[in-house]
Every structure is written in structure tokens, then in C-alpha cells.
């Protein structure tokens, strides 16, 4: 047996020790200074040392600090510190979880009868048999040899315990999710919202369909397709399971995705292969019911030179700069006649001149059926409003060439730009209703600013620009003079209210007052207020989740617009901090002087990231007095840190004067009046922008005359 990696201990960093013990990094630093018996580093660097996991666990156990650590956290630490690397260890753990899931009795018998050496010696053959049965020959879960498993006996046994405690599928979801979160730059993931929408647009009806994702990544699209298929087939109870085909160029990720799908969809046939799809298609004879793809964007090295005569380029040979159109044609080539493909595309693919001939042919032959614009933030890169292309492989009688264009990202859909996260319920309703109506009727009633059906012949100009925003009349102009008159009336009323609210300064005021001061930190310690940080919390599975008040909402004076992340399948939902009327919310990033008093309309929302909540005791502090003094410019400057590129506010250092409650309320009323004036100014600006843009649009499209 080779030596080296087997003798190297599993390592853990200070951050990992903190997670194991459920403490902060500062506590670990204190332990190292105060306890002479704290284990010595075995690797890492002077500034980021690494320690032997076994020694750390023993020390924590001796100190009574390890008893409450969840088993899954301990398994995770063994996984990330594995000498073969996290991906290899996760591949081993996933294979063991699949064995425990598919053959629980055999796993328990094997685990009980063998010592560590026997266990890792026998496992390879057992795992190979299980993997071949579930993933088919040629699956990507390789490298599970006796030598590779030799240093993994502790991980193997702990993973088996985790399968018993949490369930094999939930345990793997937790471990894989942690791995993906820990390596955000290595993987481009498709978020749950777009994945579910794409699966619904593809609408694989019944449990016997076949779904292909030729750039499957972590498997989000295939998992969404499996869930959608189960919903449409009476909870998935059928003897004809859906078949999921996936291909991924990254061999490690392909293996992890195959295990994820096998564990998460036990009634589905899973066939995932590791290879470059465009250069080495693993399923050349497949005729799938649906193809879902989130292809890599803007690739230059996609195989342009060696694939010039590939039969997949039925609609034209893509230029070197048009890798996305190569993926579009690959998807069409792997569909059965009448099958549907949905691709997540960069917006430039709809308008680049180098791709206009292929776009034109897709339109002429009725292959491209819809282009749907999504809000910015739907998927990486989050600053770009991506598109969905819906394609249908033409049969012997293709439909009349028509294209549906939908803008699910504009204000007409109630999804304004600039939010942390899109309103996926609104996006889904807008996109799915438009597509289903268009697909059923061959056309759709126009809704300005939202959707429109276009004849392909009208798009076949020199550019063949398919961007939805270019072909949709703006919603403001659609209302015509009547809508613009209503906006003007609201603006006039708001301007009058703004004038009435304009504050009048005290011309007889003396110089700055010299009050005795206190800080927010001192008030928190004395019990005059409660201080809470935002950002925690997850949505309960299957239950209603509160909206999230984001820092953008606070700064812009808007209603809560964020959403809570989904709770991990392996654990309960984490309770968020919920707002109450009278709370004061302060953004901690950006360096601006902002504080907001929540009212009944905001109460019940969850507190978002980069926000701090101050809940004053009404018998000691007036909330408007507190918020008003926190907005002082000098106050914010002395409490801000300029040590990094993002100015961060230390809320505990903010100051306010010690005044009797009656005086606080006098100041509080004045601050409340200023807040009303500020809100009126915001509304005036928004209405003015709508009126100006509406008049421009009306004059330029002829719905408003110069008179």
C-alpha cells in the first residue's frame, strides 16, 4: 500500500474549529493563547495555521466543548480536511450514502462486521456494483479504489451515521451545498427560481419523459425537471420513471451531480457523463422530450475550428464569438420532433450582428418560439438581465413562423429593477401564462410593456434583433392621454402636499447645544433598547415566508422586497429577526446617514443583511427621537470605519443626547414631520419621471399630439 497521503492527518483551520465548537474565531484565538495544551499547528501558514482534526476533536471533547456539535458539522470538517481534497472526499461520501440509501441492510451488515482496514478493502467492489446499477456503465464516479479509501475509514463511518440520522439524500444535499457555497468562483450555479421556471416552460408531461442538460453543472435544471415531472404525474407514482441525461466537462462536478440526482430522484433513471459536450457528445443518438441548458457564456474556445462540418449546425455554422448559438443548435439536435428546449442566454445573443443569420433561420423555420427577458439578478452574472429562449424542434408541419416576446423584468410586471432578488412569483406568472397561451393559440393578445406576438417576417431585417424590450410598446404610452392625465393629477396633489410639509427652520435658534451624550451601546447594555443584526433566517419548507426588508428598501423608502433563502433539507428552518412597529432600522454599509422607523405596513417583515435593528423601550426612548439623532452627519462620521473599501457603520458608537421623554417626543414629532416631507419628495420625483417619460413616449409613438 502506498504511503504518504494515508499518514497525513486530516486538517482543520481556525474557522473550522469555530464551527465545530459553535463559537466565533476570537474564542479560538483565546483558547490558543490561554491553554498550553491546545494542539499545535501541523500545516497551513503563520497567519492561517491548520491543525490535526483528530487532535482538535479530542481537545474539544476533553474541554466539554464538542458535545453539542451536530454530526453533519463534524462530517463536513472531515471532508474539507481530507488529504485527497474536498471533491474526492465528497465523491466517496456520496457513494457511501447511495449504498446506505439503496441497500441499507447490506451497508449495516458490512459496517458492523469489518474493521477499518477490512471496510475500506471490501467497499470498492460493493460501491462499484451500486453505482453501475443506478448510474449505468460509464458513470463519472471514479477513483473509489482500496488505496483511495484507505485514509477515509473515519469519514466513511461518520457518513453512514449521518445517513441514519438525517437521511441519505438530505445528508448529501447538506454536504454538496456546503462545498458549492465554499467555492463560489469555481462553479456557476443556476438558482432555484430560474431552474423551476425553465422546467415549467419545458413542461415534460408525465413520468416517462426524457430530459437532457448538456451543460448540467451541479444538476439544478435536471432536479427541477424531475420535481416538475413528479407534480404532473400524480406525485410521481408510476412504473415508468423519468430519465435524466446530463453531461458536464468538469469530471469532479459530473460525479457529484450524478450522485445528487441519484439520491434526490430515486425513482428516476440517471445518466450523467463527464466530457466536453460540443467536442465529445456523450448522447449522439438521443431524442429527448426536453432539453434544459444554462450554457457557459462568451466562450471563444468552444471548438469552432475542429467542428466546422458538424451535422448539428443545421441552422448555420456559429461564429467563434457565438458559442451560445452552438449550444442552441446542439439542444435542437438532441430533441425529438415537437420537443421543447429552454436555454438561459445572455441578452447579447439576441442582437449581435455575427449571429443574425442563424437567428433568422431559427425564426423562418419556426424553431425559436419565444424570447423572455428576466430581471437582473436572476442568475450569474447578476448585474445582467438574462433571457430565456424557448425552442421547439420543427416537425413535418411546422407552425406559422411567430415569435412571442415577453419582458418579465420591467415595471409593467411589478418587478422593478434594482432589487436584491427578483419577485419570482410575478416573473413565473408573467412568463408561464404568456407562453402557454401563445403555444395553445398560436398568438397572444398584446399587453404593452409585457408581451407581444410577432410575425417572423417582421423581424427579418438587417439586424434580426430579438430583444423583447425593442418590440414592446412602453406601458405609460399605452394608457394614452387619460393615463398621463391621472399621473399629472397625482403629481399636482403631491406637489401641493410637499409645499405644505416644507419644514421652516428656526431663524432665532442659538448655536449648537451641549447636551450630555450617551451611545447606542450604552443604551443596549442598560436595557433601554434591544440591538439585533439582520441577515439570519430561512424560509420554512412548505410554509409562508415573510418578505425581507433589505438595505436598498431602507435607503429608498420602499416596501420590503427581498425573500428568505430556502432552509437546507438536512435541518430545520432558521428563525429570522421579525420587525415590529416602532423599530428603528439602520443600514451599516455605504457611509450614508439613514435610519427608518418601521410602521404597521412593514411590521412582520424579516430583517435583511447589512441592517441593524434597534428596538427601543417606549418607556425610556421615543423611536422617532432615536432615528432622528442617528441620522446626524457628524454622528455617522465619528461612528464609521474607513479601513476598507466599503465604509461600515458601528451602530453601537452612534450618540444621542440624554433628554427627558417629554423632550424626546417634541424632537420626535419634528423628525416625524421631516420623514413625511422626505417621503413626499420621493413620490414627487417618481411621478415626475413617469410623466416626463410618458409624454416622450406618447409624442414619439403618436398617441399624444403636440397640442
Amino acid at each position: 500500500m502506498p504511503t504518504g497521503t494515508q499518514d497525513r492527518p486530516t486538517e482543520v483551520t481556525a474557522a473550522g474549529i469555530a464551527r465545530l465548537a459553535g463559537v466565533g474565531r476570537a474564542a479560538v484565538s483565546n483558547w490558543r493563547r490561554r491553554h498550553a495544551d491546545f494542539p499545535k499547528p501541523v500545516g497551513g501558514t503563520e497567519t492561517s495555521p491548520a491543525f490535526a482534526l483528530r487532535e482538535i476533536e479530542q481537545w474539544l471533547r476533553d474541554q466539554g466543548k464538542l458535545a453539542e456539535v451536530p454530526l453533519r458539522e463534524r462530517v463536513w470538517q472531515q471532508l474539507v480536511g481530507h488529504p485527497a481534497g474536498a471533491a474526492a472526499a465528497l465523491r466517496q461520501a456520496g457513494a457511501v450514502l447511495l449504498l446506505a440509501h439503496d441497500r441499507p441492510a447490506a451497508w449495516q451488515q458490512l459496517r458492523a462486521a469489518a474493521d477499518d482496514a477490512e471496510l475500506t478493502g471490501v467497499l470498492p467492489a460493493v460501491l462499484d456494483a451500486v453505482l453501475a446499477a443506478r448510474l449505468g456503465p460509464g458513470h463519472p464516479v471514479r477513483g473509489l479504489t482500496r488505496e483511495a479509501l484507505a485514509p477515509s475509514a473515519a469519514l466513511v463511518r461518520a457518513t453512514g451515521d449521518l445517513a441514519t440520522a438525517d437521511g441519505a439524500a438530505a445528508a448529501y444535499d447538506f454536504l454538496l451545498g456546503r462545498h458549492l457555497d465554499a467555492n463560489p468562483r469555481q462553479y456557476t450555479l443556476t438558482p432555484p427560481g430560474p431552474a423551476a421556471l425553465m422546467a415549467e416552460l419545458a413542461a415534460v408531461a408525465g413520468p416517462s419523459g426524457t430530459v437532457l442538460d448538456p451543460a448540467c453543472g451541479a444538476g439544478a435544471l435536471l432536479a427541477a425537471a424531475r420535481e416538475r415531472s413528479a407534480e404532473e404525474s400524480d406525485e410521481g407514482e408510476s412504473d415508468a420513471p423519468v430519465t435524466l441525461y446530463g453531461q458536464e466537462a468538469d469530471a469532479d462536478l459530473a460525479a457529484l451531480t450524478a450522485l445528487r440526482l441519484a439520491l434526490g430522484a430515486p425513482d428516476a433513471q440517471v445518466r450523467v457523463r463527464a466530457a466536453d459536450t460540443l467536442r465529445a457528445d456523450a448522447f449522439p443518438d438521443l431524442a429527448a422530450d426536453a432539453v434544459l441548458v444554462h450554457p457557459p457564456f462568451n466562450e471563444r474556445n468552444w471548438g469552432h475550428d475542429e467542428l466546422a462540418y458538424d451535422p448539428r449546425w443545421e441552422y448555420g455554422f456559429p461564429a467563434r464569438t457565438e458559442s451560445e448559438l452552438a449550444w442552441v443548435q446542439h439542444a435542437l439536435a438532441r430533441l425529438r420532433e415537437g420537443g421543447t428546449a429552454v436555454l438561459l442566454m445572455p441578452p447579447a445573443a439576441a442582437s449581435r450582428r455575427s449571429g443574425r443569420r442563424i437567428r433568422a433561420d431559427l425564426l423562418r423555420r419556426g424553431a425559436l418560439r419565444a424570447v423572455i427577458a428576466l430581471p437582473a439578478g436572476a442568475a450569474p452574472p447578476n448585474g445582467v438581465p438574462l433571457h430565456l429562449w424557448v425552442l421547439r424542434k420543427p416537425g413535418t408541419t411546422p407552425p406559422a413562423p411567430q415569435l412571442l416576446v415577453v419582458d418579465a423584468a420591467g415595471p409593467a410586471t411589478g418587478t422593478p429593477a434594482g432589487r436584491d432578488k427578483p419577485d419570482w412569483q410575478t416573473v413565473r406568472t408573467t412568463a408561464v401564462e404568456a407562453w402557454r397561451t401563445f403555444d395553445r393559440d398560436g398568438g397572444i393578445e398584446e399587453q404593452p410593456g409585457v408581451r407581444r406576438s410577432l410575425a417572423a417576417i417582421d423581424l427579418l431585417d438587417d439586424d434580426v434583433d430579438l430583444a423583447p424590450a425593442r418590440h414592446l410598446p412602453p406601458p405609460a404610452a399605452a394608457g394614452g392621454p387619460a393615463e398621463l392625465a391621472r399621473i399629472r393629477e397625482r403629481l399636482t396633489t403631491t406637489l401641493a402636499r410637499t409645499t405644505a410639509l416644507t419644514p421652516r427652520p428656526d431663524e432665532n435658534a442659538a448655536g449648537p447645544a451641549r447636551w450630555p451624550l450617551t451611545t447606542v451601546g450604552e443604551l443596549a447594555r442598560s436595557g433601554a433598547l434591544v440591538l439585533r443584526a439582520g441577515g439570519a433566517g430561512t424560509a420554512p419548507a412548505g410554509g409562508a415566508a415573510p418578505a425581507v426588508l433589505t438595505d436598498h428598501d431602507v435607503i429608498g423608502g420602499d416596501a420590503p422586497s427581498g425573500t428568505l433563502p430556502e432552509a437546507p433539507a438536512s435541518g430545520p428552518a432558521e428563525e429570522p429577526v421579525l420587525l415590529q412597529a416602532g423599530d428603528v432600522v439602520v443600514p451599516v454599509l455605504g457611509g450614508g446617514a439613514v435610519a427608518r422607523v418601521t410602521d404597521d405596513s412593514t411590521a412582520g417583515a424579516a430583517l435583511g443583511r447589512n441592517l441593524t435593528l434597534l428596538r427601543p423601550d417606549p418607556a425610556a426612548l421615543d423611536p422617532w427621537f432615536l432615528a432622528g439623532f442617528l441620522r446626524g452627519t457628524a454622528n455617522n462620521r465619528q461612528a464609521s470605519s474607513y479601513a476598507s473599501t466599503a465604509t461600515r457603520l458601528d451602530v453601537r458608537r452612534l450618540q444621542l443626547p440624554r433628554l427627558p421623554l417629554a423632550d424626546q417626543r417634541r424632537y420626535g414629532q419634528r423628525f416625524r414631520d421631516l420623514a413625511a416631507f422626505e417621503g413626499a419628495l420621493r413620490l414627487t420625483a417618481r411621478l415626475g419621471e413617469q410623466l416626463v417619460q410618458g409624454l416622450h413616449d406618447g409624442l414619439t409613438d403618436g398617441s399624444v399630439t403636440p397640442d
Side-chain angles (χ1 to χ4, degrees):
M1 180 183 299
T3 60
T5 58
Q6 290 87 338
D7 301 325
R8 177 184 166 192
T10 300
E11 297 176 359
V12 62
T13 64
I17 298 172
R19 281 194 293 266
L20 276 173
V23 299
R25 290 281 301 273
V28 178
S29 299
N30 287 335
W31 294 342
R32 291 186 65 195
R33 288 195 301 268
R34 293 170 53 193
H35 296 276
D37 62 340
F38 192 89
K40 303 300 180 186
V42 297
T45 64
E46 185 175 346
T47 57
S48 181
F51 305 84
L53 177 60
R54 183 173 297 181
E55 294 179 6
I56 289 295
E57 286 183 333
Q58 186 60 52
W59 188 87
L60 292 173
R61 193 175 291 109
D62 294 342
Q63 297 290 325
K65 304 179 186 299
L66 195 63
E68 301 301 323
V69 178
L71 173 62
R72 62 183 185 179
E73 185 64 44
R74 298 181 62 191
V75 173
W76 168 251
Q77 292 302 331
Q78 290 182 328
L79 189 147
V80 295
H82 195 281
L90 187 55
R91 193 162 59 239
Q92 297 171 8
V96 171
L97 288 169
L98 187 61
L99 170 61
H101 180 275
D102 285 10
R103 304 179 185 179
W107 160 246
Q108 292 297 340
Q109 181 179 3
L110 176 64
R111 186 176 185 276
D115 59 23
D116 285 357
E118 292 171 332
L119 180 64
T120 56
V122 174
L123 265 180
V126 178
L127 294 178
D128 280 348
V130 172
L131 292 167
R134 287 300 306 278
L135 303 177
H139 65 78
V141 189
R142 310 286 185 174
L144 302 180
T145 63
R146 178 192 296 262
E147 291 76 15
L149 290 170
S152 306
L155 174 63
V156 166
R157 292 186 183 277
T159 301
D161 293 340
L162 189 59
T164 302
D166 290 356
Y172 190 72
D173 277 348
F174 167 75
L175 296 174
L176 178 60
R178 267 286 187 87
H179 177 68
L180 297 175
D181 289 344
N183 300 276
R185 296 183 180 180
Q186 186 175 349
Y187 306 113
T188 299
L189 306 179
T190 308
L197 174 57
M198 292 170 70
E200 191 164 4
L201 291 170
V204 181
S208 59
T210 56
V211 186
L212 167 68
D213 182 350
C216 63
L221 293 176
L222 291 173
R226 161 65 184 83
E227 292 172 8
R228 181 66 188 170
S229 177
E231 292 173 4
E232 294 193 356
S233 59
D234 193 20
E235 304 302 325
E237 296 176 1
S238 173
D239 295 330
V242 66
T243 304
L244 306 176
Y245 292 90
Q247 188 166 347
E248 168 57 42
D250 184 321
D252 281 336
L253 188 56
L256 301 183
T257 298
L259 291 165
R260 173 193 181 182
L261 295 171
L263 284 163
D267 58 341
Q269 295 184 38
V270 176
R271 298 292 182 264
V272 177
R273 301 294 177 260
D276 182 324
T277 294
L278 295 181
R279 290 185 172 91
D281 184 10
F283 308 107
D285 300 321
L286 182 64
D289 295 297
V291 177
L292 303 175
V293 198
H294 178 180
F297 296 162
N298 302 318
E299 275 200 335
R300 296 300 180 94
N301 184 27
W302 58 267
H304 177 270
D305 293 340
E306 60 262 47
L307 297 174
Y309 301 102
D310 196 287
R312 288 172 292 183
W313 315 144
E314 186 178 346
Y315 299 86
F317 179 39
R320 189 184 302 276
T321 56
E322 295 289 351
S323 61
E324 296 86 4
L325 294 182
W327 287 99
V328 165
Q329 295 190 75
H330 175 83
L332 285 167
R334 295 297 162 262
L335 281 173
R336 63 166 174 80
E337 284 190 5
T340 304
V342 184
L343 286 86
L344 189 63
M345 301 281 279
S351 56
R352 281 189 298 241
R353 286 186 61 81
S354 54
R356 65 189 186 279
R357 292 181 180 175
I358 294 177
R359 293 196 298 271
D361 207 28
L362 290 168
L363 288 173
R364 286 191 195 96
R365 298 172 60 181
L368 180 58
R369 306 292 290 143
V371 177
I372 301 169
L374 299 178
N382 289 308
V384 178
L386 302 177
H387 290 173
L388 290 179
W389 285 22
V390 184
L391 301 108
R392 180 72 52 73
K393 185 159 186 175
T396 53
T397 56
Q402 292 276 329
L403 180 72
L404 170 68
V405 291
V406 180
D407 186 357
T413 66
T415 314
R419 300 298 187 211
D420 279 353
K421 294 183 179 178
D423 178 359
W424 274 108
Q425 184 58 40
T426 301
V427 172
R428 176 202 160 276
T429 301
T430 302
V432 173
E433 286 185 357
W435 166 245
R436 287 182 175 172
T437 303
F438 173 82
D439 193 37
R440 181 187 66 239
D441 301 339
I444 196 169
E445 182 181 354
E446 180 179 311
Q447 184 177 345
V450 179
R451 67 191 194 190
R452 185 182 181 190
S453 175
L454 298 165
I457 191 68
D458 295 333
L459 296 166
L460 299 178
D461 54 16
D462 288 342
D463 295 322
V464 196
D465 191 333
L466 308 182
R470 306 277 171 85
H471 304 288
L472 291 170
E483 176 64 21
L484 295 176
R486 282 191 290 270
I487 294 175
R488 181 181 183 278
E489 184 177 349
R490 286 190 65 197
L491 177 59
T492 303
T493 303
T494 307
L495 282 170
R497 183 169 182 266
T498 304
T499 302
L501 290 171
T502 302
R504 201 179 282 275
D506 186 356
E507 298 176 356
N508 299 318
R514 298 192 177 277
W515 294 301
L517 299 176
T518 186
T519 65
V520 168
E522 290 171 353
L523 292 170
R525 286 190 293 272
S526 69
L529 59 81
V530 175
L531 190 148
R532 300 287 300 276
T538 53
V548 177
L549 184 71
T550 70
D551 51 349
H552 295 294
D553 299 331
V554 174
I555 293 169
D558 297 323
S561 65
T563 56
L564 288 172
E566 296 180 0
S570 54
E574 182 182 356
E575 289 294 328
V577 178
L578 298 181
L579 297 170
Q580 298 177 8
D583 288 342
V584 178
V585 181
V586 183
V588 297
L589 287 182
V594 180
R596 174 171 170 178
V597 180
T598 59
D599 55 16
D600 290 333
S601 66
T602 311
L607 187 68
R609 294 181 58 197
N610 301 322
L611 293 175
T612 296
L613 176 146
L614 307 177
R615 182 167 293 158
D617 179 354
L621 278 174
D622 180 81
W624 286 99
F625 164 81
L626 174 62
F629 273 95
L630 296 188
R631 286 190 60 171
T633 302
N635 202 4
N636 275 259
R637 284 179 178 172
Q638 66 86 28
S640 296
S641 166
Y642 295 89
S644 65
T645 55
T647 304
R648 189 171 188 87
L649 183 69
D650 184 351
V651 176
R652 291 179 176 273
R653 293 173 54 191
L654 288 169
Q655 298 177 336
L656 62 159
R658 296 180 183 272
L659 295 180
L661 189 58
D663 290 342
Q664 291 183 33
R665 287 171 177 161
R666 286 175 49 235
Y667 276 95
Q669 184 57 52
R670 183 70 159 164
F671 287 132
R672 188 194 294 260
D673 293 342
L674 285 173
F677 175 64
E678 186 177 40
L681 287 177
R682 286 198 184 102
L683 180 56
T684 300
R686 292 170 185 169
L687 290 171
E689 289 174 359
Q690 289 182 31
L691 182 61
V692 169
Q693 189 60 54
L695 286 169
H696 274 94
D697 293 339
L699 287 165
T700 54
D701 72 5
S703 61
V704 176
T705 66
D707 300 330

